[in-house]
């Protein structure tokens, strides 16, 4: 019992690591799909699928682990299919950034009057659209008012420092980041 229990703990750890590796791959920080790690987990799943469990607790635990892994596999396969078809939203957004050279120089607005400038507004609008977020009610005036509040908070924290803005995508959502300019 102890050996199978330990093996199942190791299997859970491998699945968690594999999930993280796939997330890194889908975000672009890992150059290749983690095929070898996936094959190793598949092999372990196959071994335990053909193993008769005497303990119903361990059998239930393996069943839960296997179900979780199968759900991840379906998600990964679907994402890989979207990447192949060019419909994966994070990749479309990154491609749009590369096409318009915004990846080299993120959308920025200087402090003061140009906060919420049209370049920043257009970049934010495009990012929200590419992530499938609603753009209803979004206007340059509303964006400028929101950025003015955030700018005040940054200036309060760092004194009268220059403030820079950039559009980023985190967890599939477009966001504006406000920070102190170097």
């Amino acid at each position: 019992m102890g050996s199978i229990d330990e093996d199942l703990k190791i299997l859970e750890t491998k699945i968690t690591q594999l999930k993280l590796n796939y997330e890194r791959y889908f975000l672009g920080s890992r150059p290749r799909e983690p095929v070898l790690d996936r094959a190793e987990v598949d092999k372990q799943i196959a071994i335990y699928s053909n193993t008769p469990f005497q303990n119903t607790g361990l059998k239930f635990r393996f069943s839960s682990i296997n179900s979780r892994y199968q759900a991840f596999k379906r998600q990964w396969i679907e994402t890989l299919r979207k990447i192949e078809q060019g419909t994966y939203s994070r990749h479309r957004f990154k491609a749009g950034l590369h096409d318009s050279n915004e990846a080299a120089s993120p959308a920025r607005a200087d402090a003061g009057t140009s906060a919420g400038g049209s370049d920043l507004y257009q970049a934010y609008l495009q990012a929200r659209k590419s992530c499938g977020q609603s753009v209803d009610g979004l206007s340059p005036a509303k964006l400028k008012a929101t950025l003015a509040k955030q700018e005040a908070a940054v200036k309060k924290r760092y004194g009268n420092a220059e403030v820079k803005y950039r559009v980023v995508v985190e967890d599939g959502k477009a966001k504006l980041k406000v920070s102190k300019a170097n």
Side-chain angles (χ1 to χ4, degrees):
M1 179 176 151
S3 176
I4 293 176
D5 188 41
E6 291 172 15
D7 288 348
L8 290 178
K9 285 180 184 176
I10 292 170
L11 182 60
E12 279 183 299
T13 304
K14 286 181 179 180
I15 290 172
T16 302
Q17 185 61 46
L18 182 60
K19 179 180 183 268
L20 293 173
N21 287 342
Y22 264 102
E23 288 175 0
R24 288 184 191 121
Y25 171 68
F26 294 142
L27 290 172
S29 62
R30 184 182 170 106
R32 292 188 192 99
E33 181 182 354
V35 177
L36 295 176
D37 297 339
R38 184 171 166 182
E40 186 178 329
V41 171
D42 281 337
K43 182 179 177 183
Q44 288 291 338
I45 293 287
I47 289 171
Y48 284 109
S49 292
N50 296 322
T51 301
F53 288 95
Q54 301 300 321
N55 184 327
T56 56
L58 290 177
K59 184 176 183 178
F60 177 77
R61 185 166 170 211
F62 171 72
S63 178
S64 298
I65 292 170
N66 188 20
S67 296
R68 182 173 166 239
Y69 177 64
Q70 296 305 324
F72 286 145
K73 270 179 64 171
R74 282 190 298 274
Q75 181 182 10
W76 299 331
I77 290 168
E78 179 66 18
T79 305
L80 289 168
R81 185 186 60 75
K82 286 180 180 178
I83 289 172
E84 286 179 11
Q85 293 177 345
T87 59
Y88 186 54
S89 62
R90 287 184 181 153
H91 284 207
R92 278 199 327 247
F93 177 71
K94 285 173 77 174
L97 284 178
H98 289 291
D99 288 345
S100 63
N101 265 345
E102 290 179 11
S105 59
R108 296 178 187 199
D110 294 333
T113 58
S114 61
S118 64
D119 289 343
L120 183 63
Y121 173 74
Q122 291 301 324
Y124 185 59
L125 188 70
Q126 177 63 31
R128 285 187 65 91
K129 285 180 181 177
S130 68
C131 291
Q133 291 176 285
S134 173
V135 294
D136 295 339
L138 185 63
S139 69
K142 285 185 181 180
L143 181 66
K144 187 174 182 177
T146 302
L147 292 177
K149 289 179 189 175
Q150 291 179 353
E151 183 178 331
V154 170
K155 285 190 175 193
K156 181 178 179 184
R157 184 172 182 185
Y158 296 110
N160 276 341
E162 286 279 321
V163 178
K164 70 176 180 177
Y165 305 92
R166 59 191 166 99
V167 178
V168 296
V169 174
E170 291 179 354
D171 300 324
K173 294 184 179 181
K175 298 180 181 181
L176 283 170
K177 293 286 185 170
V178 181
S179 59
K180 182 177 121 177
N182 295 331

